[in-house]
């Protein structure tokens, strides 16, 4: 079964902005199998966040014939989000660039929020979590490498630690699909690597499907076997990340390719493909 199945998804934002009337997503067709780890790349404004928000059912598409299914169940159709959206969302863990945690709560409570949906109402209201869930939370925090932070207020964690707590929350939620929108955009290289390592661990050890939007092509190549590249709301490439040479990126994005090939990135690719990447 596919984890995500998208047919003919388009989105036009209306409003007073310069992008009024322009299609942020234009006839997207996409299938992502269960257990895949897929990178979503594209220059700023290409539609990565908009696509992820449609997949999660946070935003409704244009009212034309279209469909998004999560693990075989429609989450939106023809511009309407289904009524059971919350139930479907239980299978989805979210990680964003920031604002992932409730800062004033402890790390443990933030992670336990993942368990809320399956608890009875009185526990939800009282915040009294059963021991089994607390154990699950402790195990998840240990698994992402911050087991010692359970009692800290979330605000006191570094950016990378907060992202890893968000991943622990997805584990406790028993999510089957992770949608991560630029989870490493504001992190230093070392923290970025740790967060990507943890995403890979969730993918490999827990069988979670991962879709992660990234600005850096080198990270996509390192961690994701498959890359979907967007430009102006269209899929311009969908295939092995290893084939994303600087020459291909130049072809896909023209001068905007530079944005995806930061100095570090282009070095990594040059190392990998030699001095003449187009020959690789
Ligand atoms: N709520 C909105 N209202 C109007 N236009 C929007 C809205 N959200 C996104 N857009 C427009 O849709 C297009 C795609 O935006 P989106 O945020 O999805 O791009 P992105 O690839 O995530 O970019 P970035 O790399 O900067 O995060 C842009 O032209 C943007 O201006
Ligand atoms: Mg974005």
């Amino acid at each position: 079964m596919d984890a995500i199945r998208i047919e003919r998804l388009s989105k036009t934002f209306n409003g007073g902005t310069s992008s009024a009337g322009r299609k942020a997503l234009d006839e997207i067709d996409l299938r992502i199998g269960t257990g895949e780890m897929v990178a979503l790349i594209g220059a700023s404004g290409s539609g990565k966040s908009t696509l992820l928000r449609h997949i999660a059912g946070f935003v409704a598409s244009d009212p034309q014939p279209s469909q998004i299914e999560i693990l075989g169940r429609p989450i939106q159709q023809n511009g309407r989000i289904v009524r059971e959206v919350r139930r479907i969302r239980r299978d989805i863990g979210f990680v964003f660039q920031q604002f992932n945690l409730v800062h004033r709560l402890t790390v443990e409570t933030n992670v336990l929020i993942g368990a809320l949906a399956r608890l009875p109402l009185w526990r939800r209201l009282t915040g009294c979590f059963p021991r089994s869930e607390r154990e699950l939370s402790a195990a998840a925090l240990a698994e992402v490498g911050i087991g010692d932070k359970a009692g800290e207020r979330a605000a006191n964690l570094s950016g990378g630690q907060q992202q890893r707590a968000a991943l622990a929350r997805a584990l406790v939620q028993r999510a089957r699909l992770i949608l991560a929108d630029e989870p490493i955009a504001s992190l230093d290289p070392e923290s970025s690597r740790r967060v990507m390592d943890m995403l890979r661990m969730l993918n490999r050890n827990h069988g979670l499907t991962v879709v992660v939007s990234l600005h850096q092509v080198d990270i996509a190549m390192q961690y994701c076997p498959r890359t979907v590249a967007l430009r102006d709301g269209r899929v311009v490439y969908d295939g092995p990340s290893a084939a994303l040479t600087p020459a291909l990126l130049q072809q896909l994005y023209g001068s905007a390719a530079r944005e995806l090939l930061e100095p570090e990135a282009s070095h990594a690719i040059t190392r990998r493909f030699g001095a003449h990447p187009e020959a690789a």
Side-chain angles (χ1 to χ4, degrees):
M1 195 207 313
D2 289 323
I4 301 172
R5 187 170 181 157
I6 301 174
E7 277 164 23
R8 302 199 59 200
L9 172 67
S10 292
K11 178 66 175 181
T12 314
F13 283 110
N14 304 305
T17 64
S18 56
S19 62
R22 221 194 87 212
K23 283 196 166 175
L25 298 176
D26 194 358
E27 299 269 332
I28 303 261
D29 283 300
L30 186 62
R31 290 168 72 157
I32 293 176
T34 51
E36 280 199 82
M37 180 151 175
V38 179
L40 193 57
I41 66 160
S44 187
S46 59
K48 305 180 294 295
S49 299
T50 304
L51 178 57
L52 290 171
R53 288 164 60 205
H54 277 78
I55 295 172
F58 290 134
V59 185
S61 71
D62 288 351
Q64 279 125 21
S66 68
Q67 166 131 315
I68 302 180
E69 281 180 15
I70 303 294
L71 297 157
R73 295 160 304 170
I75 191 162
Q76 60 169 292
Q77 277 173 317
N78 314 330
R80 297 185 80 120
I81 294 169
V82 301
R83 218 179 296 181
E84 336 55 287
V85 62
R86 280 168 192 278
R87 207 179 327 138
I88 296 167
R89 256 190 226 139
R90 280 187 205 172
D91 285 332
I92 308 175
F94 301 99
V95 185
F96 301 103
Q97 185 177 339
Q98 53 209 141
F99 313 122
N100 276 312
L101 304 180
V102 184
H103 274 183
R104 66 190 159 78
L105 300 178
T106 65
V107 173
E108 184 193 37
T109 307
N110 269 283
V111 170
L112 282 165
I113 285 172
L116 276 182
R118 60 172 177 270
L119 294 180
L121 183 64
W122 74 267
R123 284 202 185 271
R124 272 187 263 162
L125 294 177
T126 57
C128 177
F129 293 98
R131 190 176 180 167
S132 56
E133 300 292 351
R134 287 178 177 272
E135 283 168 3
L136 201 59
S137 155
L141 282 169
E143 201 158 359
V144 300
I146 50 171
D148 56 333
K149 301 288 182 201
E152 292 266 354
R153 272 157 54 109
N156 297 343
L157 264 56
S158 72
Q161 289 166 341
Q162 291 194 30
Q163 297 302 59
R164 286 189 275 155
L167 294 176
R169 184 183 56 201
L171 266 180
V172 166
Q173 184 189 333
R174 301 198 186 116
R176 295 164 70 193
L177 164 65
I178 299 232
L179 301 177
D181 193 7
E182 305 218 26
I184 61 169
S186 43
L187 303 181
D188 60 79
E190 172 64 14
S191 308
S192 297
R193 195 183 56 72
R194 287 223 188 100
V195 169
M196 290 306 298
D197 283 346
M198 288 304 125
L199 272 174
R200 174 149 69 191
M201 183 276 289
L202 294 182
N203 173 251
R204 291 192 179 163
N205 300 1
H206 293 270
L208 289 167
T209 307
V210 174
V211 182
V212 52
S213 79
L214 295 165
H215 249 101
Q216 311 94 307
V217 173
D218 67 322
I219 303 279
M221 293 172 78
Q222 212 180 325
Y223 286 93
C224 305
R226 173 180 171 195
T227 291
V228 173
L230 295 180
R231 192 187 64 212
D232 298 334
R234 294 204 191 126
V235 174
V236 290
Y237 177 83
D238 181 357
S241 307
L244 287 168
T245 59
L248 177 56
L249 287 165
Q250 178 73 35
Q251 196 183 316
L252 297 175
Y253 291 107
S255 60
R258 231 173 304 146
E259 190 185 322
L260 304 163
L261 286 167
E262 284 159 12
E264 267 183 81
S266 29
H267 289 152
I269 292 175
T270 310
R271 269 202 305 280
R272 189 158 162 172
F273 291 102
H276 299 287
E278 54 275 41

